[in-house]
Amino acid sequence: MNVSIFGLGYVGTVCAACFTELGHQIIGVDKSVAKVDLIRKGRSPVIEPGISDKVARAVATGQLTATTDATEAIVNSDISMVCVGTPSSGNGNLDLTAIRQVAIEIGRGLRAKNAPHTVTIRSTVLPGTTRGTVGPLIEEASGNKIGRDFDLAFNPEFLREGSAIADFNAPSKTVVGAFNQETADRVMALYKDLPGAKITPPVETAELAKYVDNSWHALKVSFANEIGTIAKTLGIDGRDVMNIFLQDTRLNISPAYLRPGFAFGGSCLPKDVKALKHLAHSRGLSTPVLESILPSNDMIMSRGADWILSHEGRRIAFLGISFKAGTDDVRDSPFVELVKGLRGEQREIRIYDPNVQLSQLIGANRDFLMRNPDLVGLLHDDVAETIEWADIIVLTTADPRFVAALKASRPDQTVLELSDIGLPAEVSARVSGFHW
């Protein structure tokens, strides 16, 4: 099929590259000239393991092109997929600015087309958004009607940064909500060669399913950390407790995220918890469990800061500042907040993260760093010098480069592992100050 993908961020770029390997012809659309130019040159605008080679191959074969012209993309495709960001607004609700703009652009593009077209929303939106916001905007801009002149669907993504390609190619489930089964089947045909359950619920059910997944993932991190905190006060290893807990996998419990560790972060989990809580409040509902997630996460970050401050040494080196390994995403990274707190306690900080370099970032990540110049000044590109300088080394994520670099640490240094990463024995055994 011919597919136009609006938004060339993490989701859009991964989908674009992976769809070409399923035999589809893809047109990437973005208002950022920099992102479009990168795609045209066969380069990925995002950092994701394996994505660069896939983009290069797709562009070389002509299966992937890019443009800033929405109408051109609409005219030359059968299905449009919307993958733009939906960040939090000040009150926790979603900022739908980007998705509104794309809906209007698509509507205008449909005016130039006299053939059937299907629009599917892949951006994370609250229930009712596709039907109540996106659909009417497209109808108004195009003069057309849903179900008569064009079709509309919602197709949530379940991709994790750092493992997005594997998640795309081996999904546990693919969900397409549409206003009729024919439309759902048409969108689902994009994934016909992929494994996993294929589910076609009502649109609002599909929209809510994404929030349930993300809210559950967020809850699992906080839940495991609280169990780990309780166990620690009893002199019990929280990992042992959770390993027993994980033996019961019958009741829809997954091992993913259920390990005591540090706080969660990133551009999805905090945002989606806020949005779901806002939705509940707007309906006059009380959600004490949801409302406890972010305060619990703040408590874990405070404990992490106190734990680091309890060790001797004023010079602290962070190996990693993005919210997880394999990504350059620093938005809502718990480690950024941790660094800010430690600086407030008059600690000297240096950061080594090869994925986070201002000169290579574009889009939201670059904007974030430009708004935080103090953070940029802490970034160093020599891991050996960073480790040599420090009294305390904080390992944030399981990036193999960080683990390998720790072999150069000295016995007089303290190495603090914020998550249950599992350092190789030859590293943890030789570092006398190693702590989990």
Side-chain angles (χ1 to χ4, degrees), residues 64 79 121 177 265 423:
L64 174 59
I79 296 178
I121 307 303
L423 289 175

Side-chain angles (χ1 to χ4, degrees), residues 220-232 236-243 246 255 257-263 300 417-421 436:
K220 288 194 292 186
V221 176
S222 294
F223 175 76
N225 280 328
E226 291 182 5
I227 296 300
T229 300
I230 295 170
K232 191 176 184 66
I236 299 170
D237 191 329
R239 293 168 295 183
D240 292 341
V241 175
M242 293 308 297
N243 281 333
L246 289 174
Y257 303 109
L258 288 174
R259 293 290 188 273
F262 194 55
I300 294 298
E417 184 183 5
L418 285 178
S419 300
D420 188 13
I421 295 168
W436 174 76

Side-chain angles (χ1 to χ4, degrees), residues 4-215:
S4 52
I5 294 182
F6 285 75
L8 294 174
Y10 285 99
V11 174
T13 299
V14 170
C15 289
C18 291
F19 273 135
T20 63
E21 296 188 328
L22 295 177
H24 303 299
Q25 188 75 27
I26 306 299
I27 304 172
V29 190
D30 203 289
K31 65 180 181 179
S32 168
V33 175
K35 290 182 179 181
V36 169
D37 285 346
L38 283 172
I39 291 290
R40 288 173 173 173
K41 295 174 183 177
R43 296 168 57 190
S44 171
V46 301
I47 292 178
E48 180 70 27
I51 194 65
S52 296
D53 290 342
K54 291 183 183 298
V55 168
R57 285 196 298 269
V59 172
T61 61
Q63 285 182 276
L64 174 59
T65 59
T67 182
T68 57
D69 189 332
T71 299
E72 173 191 349
I74 294 290
V75 170
N76 291 288
S77 61
D78 307 305
I79 296 178
S80 292
M81 182 170 287
V82 178
C83 300
V84 297
T86 53
S88 287
S89 60
N91 65 357
N93 196 10
L94 293 185
D95 182 349
L96 296 177
T97 301
I99 207 165
R100 288 174 183 272
Q101 290 174 343
V102 169
I104 293 171
E105 290 175 1
I106 289 175
R108 291 170 178 168
L110 289 175
R111 287 183 175 272
K113 186 172 184 178
N114 296 318
H117 198 83
T118 299
V119 180
T120 183
I121 307 303
R122 202 146 164 80
S123 303
T124 302
V125 295
L126 288 167
T129 304
T130 302
R131 185 189 300 270
T133 300
V134 177
L137 285 172
I138 296 176
E139 287 182 329
E140 182 179 359
S142 65
N144 297 334
K145 290 295 181 182
I146 299 173
R148 186 191 71 188
D149 306 303
F150 72 96
D151 292 304
L152 184 61
F154 180 77
N155 171 214
E157 51 85 15
F158 302 100
L159 308 178
R160 298 167 295 168
E161 293 181 27
S163 59
I165 291 174
D167 291 341
F168 183 98
N169 290 326
S172 299
K173 61 182 182 288
T174 300
V175 180
V176 178
F179 299 120
N180 58 69
Q181 191 60 43
E182 182 182 358
T183 301
D185 291 342
R186 188 180 308 119
V187 176
M188 191 66 79
L190 291 169
Y191 306 95
K192 65 183 178 64
D193 295 326
L194 296 182
K198 307 253 187 333
I199 308 166
T200 55
V203 172
E204 287 76 15
T205 302
E207 289 171 320
L208 184 57
K210 169 67 174 181
Y211 280 97
V212 172
D213 275 32
N214 272 4
S215 296

Side-chain angles (χ1 to χ4, degrees), residues 318-392:
F318 274 73
L319 300 186
I321 195 63
S322 61
F323 86 98
K324 65 184 295 188
T327 177
D328 60 349
D329 201 344
V330 292
R331 296 167 297 171
D332 277 328
S333 169
F335 309 117
V336 171
E337 294 305 313
L338 185 56
V339 165
K340 289 180 180 178
L342 293 172
R343 294 192 74 200
E345 294 295 332
Q346 307 305 311
R347 296 301 191 268
E348 297 177 60
I349 307 291
R350 289 188 182 182
I351 301 166
Y352 171 76
D353 194 326
N355 289 333
V356 182
Q357 299 183 32
L358 185 61
S359 61
Q360 297 181 9
L361 296 178
I362 59 175
N365 285 329
R366 180 179 177 83
D367 292 342
F368 176 86
L369 287 181
M370 292 297 289
R371 294 194 303 270
N372 291 271
D374 290 346
L375 181 63
V376 175
L378 304 178
L379 297 173
H380 289 259
D381 57 11
D382 190 315
V383 64
E385 284 186 5
T386 302
I387 289 176
E388 173 66 24
W389 167 86
D391 302 314
I392 299 172

